[in-house]
Amino acid sequence: PIPIIYNPLGEFPRACPGFLNAGPHFTELDTIAFSSSADQAIYHSLIKSMPCEDRLSHFGVDTDHFSPQPKVETEKLKRYLGLPDNAFLVLYTGRITSEKNVHAVIDVFSELVKQHENVYLLIVGEVKDVAFAEFASGPHDLKTLFTENIPKALWQRLKFFGPVTYSELPLFYSAADVFVNLTVHHDENF
């Protein structure tokens, strides 16, 4: 027999369809590799006995690629973005869809702006209007929602950059003071 390493990738909160198909075939040679302790806890609460073992194996980060960038380069990016020298930069990167909850990031940011005069929000990613079927939501006209519902005064501190390449991401992360991700998607358990 060939050993199987099964990675559920967050499927346990949504009734684990893949596991229900594959699970009966697991043997003592196999391993279930969970990417989050939450998924693993759900598994342990539902499954009392399996011949295979389970392990927690967090997603890795390529630290050679995602490493601090030269300060001169991050300062150049901040100037390109029109940010002042004392800007405190909050960064979101990723798809801009309803389940990524970018609208909540903007709501929280609007409160920060009231309390801090040098805070800025940079949103990097592509707007994708897709349905979020699991929550019976969407698609939404996100571009219109963002442009019509964000107060004009907030636009001075909010920047939508659009998508960037994988090779450009380290510069954006290095330029930021804080990275924020309020994803509500149940099978993205980072």
Side-chain angles (χ1 to χ4, degrees):
I2 299 172
I4 296 171
I5 298 175
Y6 180 76
N7 190 327
L9 293 174
E11 75 168 314
F12 273 81
R14 54 186 172 92
C16 49
F19 177 80
L20 292 176
N21 289 325
H25 305 287
F26 291 156
T27 71
E28 64 279 348
L29 298 175
D30 304 324
T31 301
I32 303 173
F34 291 96
S35 59
S36 79
S37 56
D39 231 17
Q40 189 178 34
I42 294 170
Y43 165 78
H44 283 286
S45 72
L46 296 175
I47 309 299
K48 300 304 178 202
S49 175
M50 285 291 291
C52 60
E53 66 177 317
D54 63 275
R55 301 258 181 201
L56 183 60
S57 178
H58 295 290
F59 292 126
V61 174
D62 180 352
T63 56
D64 290 330
H65 181 73
F66 289 101
S67 60
Q69 301 298 295
K71 187 172 182 172
V72 66
E73 294 300 318
T74 60
E75 288 173 349
K76 189 182 343 178
L77 175 61
K78 286 181 175 183
R79 280 193 305 277
Y80 176 80
L81 294 170
L83 301 176
D85 292 338
N86 69 340
F88 184 89
L89 185 58
V90 178
L91 174 68
Y92 167 83
T93 62
R95 296 185 325 268
I96 302 169
T97 60
S98 58
E99 77 269 16
K100 290 298 188 176
N101 214 14
V102 176
H103 52 287
V105 171
I106 294 170
D107 286 344
V108 169
F109 177 69
S110 69
E111 294 302 313
L112 285 174
V113 166
K114 294 174 187 175
Q115 301 172 27
H116 304 281
E117 64 184 47
N118 66 333
V119 66
Y120 291 80
L121 174 60
L122 177 61
I123 297 173
V124 176
E126 182 179 2
V127 176
K128 293 188 174 190
D129 287 329
V130 295
F132 190 17
E134 291 90 338
F135 292 145
S137 175
H140 305 283
D141 183 1
L142 294 176
K143 287 183 181 181
T144 301
L145 285 172
F146 288 141
T147 56
E148 292 181 0
N149 295 317
I150 296 174
K152 295 213 184 297
L154 196 58
W155 280 105
Q156 297 170 354
R157 308 269 200 89
L158 172 62
K159 312 267 183 196
F160 279 91
F161 194 82
V164 298
T165 65
Y166 178 77
S167 63
E168 294 171 309
L169 278 173
L171 180 60
F172 285 85
Y173 287 123
S174 293
D177 296 290
V178 172
F179 173 76
V180 63
N181 181 342
L182 297 180
T183 298
V184 295
H185 200 278
H186 57 279
D187 64 348
E188 292 186 358
N189 51 10
F190 310 121

